[in-house]
Amino acid sequence: DHKDGRCTNYAVDESQIDHVLVGIRPNPGYVRSRRWNKMDPYPMDEKGVVRPLKLLRELKDPTHVLLSIGGNDAREAFVSSFNIDNIYKTMVDRGIIERFERLVTEIQSVVPNVILVIVYHPQITSCPFLYMLPNAATITELIVKFSPMFFNIARKFKVPVIDLARTFNPYDSSDYGSSPIEPSNTSGIMIAELARHIIHHFEFGKEEAKVYTGLVGKASGYRALKVEALDDSWEGLTKYRASLQKHLADGRQNAPSSCVIS
């Protein structure tokens, strides 16, 4: 809301945690697409690599960082298996939890005010395999299994979390863009409003970690804004699993009429 405020975007399509840490050479198809659609080019160096951490360190007086990462790490694991136990083991064995903590540590050394983002649930469709996705139940359980990664880091560093898995409605196509794994302009505004709410209301350096879900400015409805302290009740998976399942059930009940096999 500040007249001199600005948002700098260092996101690169298909980025995984390691890419944020050390850099990524953008897919040429995405580079051409951005040029074709008259979008700003990726901020590549002379070698054609985007190095988000280096760019962050060079940015003048950044105040907050919104970190949304992890979804593409999961997509890479889907290549080898759609079995939930195999996917989880593959990602953990590759060190995703340790690398995520390292990334947050690196960012906080530059900008202490970090907002973590739990990835959204892909849109639930009758043919997830067309998009190289497992079925909805597998994705839901994978989000549940990795919720402690986000919550434990948030509690350790005392930072807020935006939970898009309990904000987007995967039964409502208006929350998604050209594919089930991309947000729409509508849901992009949801993310921006949640981030703005946190920037204005969360006291970084003073408050304990909190998790934010829902739509800012909505007085009622199943997706009203909810702010929850990340206390000991979130230990384990039981509370988060029940909350996410309730959100999905409410979403299905409140979504526009559709026929989906999930």
Side-chain angles (χ1 to χ4, degrees):
D1 292 336
H2 195 283
K3 66 178 182 179
D4 296 322
R6 63 190 177 94
C7 177
T8 303
N9 183 9
Y10 293 143
V12 178
D13 295 276
E14 300 181 344
S15 286
Q16 299 175 32
I17 292 173
D18 280 347
H19 296 138
V20 183
L21 283 165
V22 301
I24 179 174
R25 189 181 302 276
N27 184 308
Y30 290 122
V31 174
R32 289 192 297 270
S33 177
R34 292 175 78 89
R35 188 185 307 120
W36 177 262
N37 289 290
K38 295 179 168 47
M39 298 171 64
D40 290 336
Y42 292 118
M44 295 181 286
D45 62 17
E46 66 281 358
K47 295 182 178 180
V49 177
V50 179
R51 305 182 192 278
L53 275 180
K54 182 176 183 292
L55 291 167
L56 178 63
R57 294 187 181 103
E58 295 171 350
L59 194 63
K60 183 180 178 182
D61 301 325
T63 60
H64 298 77
V65 169
L66 184 71
L67 178 62
S68 178
I69 197 72
N72 287 318
D73 295 79
R75 289 185 66 201
E76 183 182 54
F78 296 159
V79 173
S80 58
S81 177
F82 279 172
N83 176 274
I84 181 63
D85 294 325
N86 291 342
I87 296 168
Y88 181 77
K89 184 177 186 304
T90 295
M91 294 176 70
V92 171
D93 288 349
R94 289 175 179 172
I96 186 172
I97 296 173
E98 293 81 7
R99 287 184 285 117
F100 183 65
E101 180 168 354
R102 178 190 164 197
L103 176 58
V104 175
T105 301
E106 293 275 1
I107 293 172
Q108 271 214 320
S109 70
V110 184
V111 185
N113 301 340
V114 179
I115 303 169
L116 305 181
V117 180
I118 294 180
V119 296
Y120 50 85
H121 197 300
Q123 181 184 358
I124 294 175
T125 70
S126 57
C127 299
F129 309 109
L130 292 178
Y131 303 94
M132 295 300 294
L133 296 172
N135 62 39
T138 297
I139 293 176
T140 301
E141 185 60 18
L142 189 65
I143 293 171
V144 169
K145 281 181 172 290
F146 276 106
S147 61
M149 181 179 80
F150 292 92
F151 289 168
N152 291 342
I153 294 298
R155 292 172 69 179
K156 179 175 181 176
F157 292 94
K158 297 184 178 181
V159 296
V161 180
I162 292 174
D163 185 358
L164 297 182
R166 293 187 294 148
T167 296
F168 284 25
N169 180 358
Y171 292 99
D172 188 343
S173 61
S174 68
D175 281 4
Y176 298 85
S178 58
S179 78
I181 57 174
E182 295 181 19
S184 64
N185 290 337
T186 298
S187 53
I189 293 172
M190 295 179 196
I191 300 170
E193 289 180 339
L194 280 165
R196 182 174 62 179
H197 179 87
I198 291 172
I199 290 169
H200 284 311
H201 296 282
F202 186 83
E203 295 187 78
F204 288 89
K206 297 179 181 179
E207 290 192 72
E208 299 294 323
K210 293 179 179 178
V211 58
Y212 295 73
T213 60
L215 309 185
V216 176
K218 303 295 182 181
S220 61
Y222 78 102
R223 283 202 284 182
L225 176 67
K226 191 173 184 179
V227 183
E228 301 166 282
L230 284 175
D231 55 26
D232 291 342
S233 66
W234 293 95
E235 293 284 352
L237 305 178
T238 303
K239 182 174 180 177
Y240 188 82
R241 180 182 286 115
S243 181
L244 179 56
Q245 289 175 343
K246 182 180 186 307
H247 171 74
L248 295 176
D250 289 344
R252 186 165 195 166
Q253 181 176 353
N254 287 277
S257 297
S258 61
C259 180
V260 174
I261 302 171
S262 59

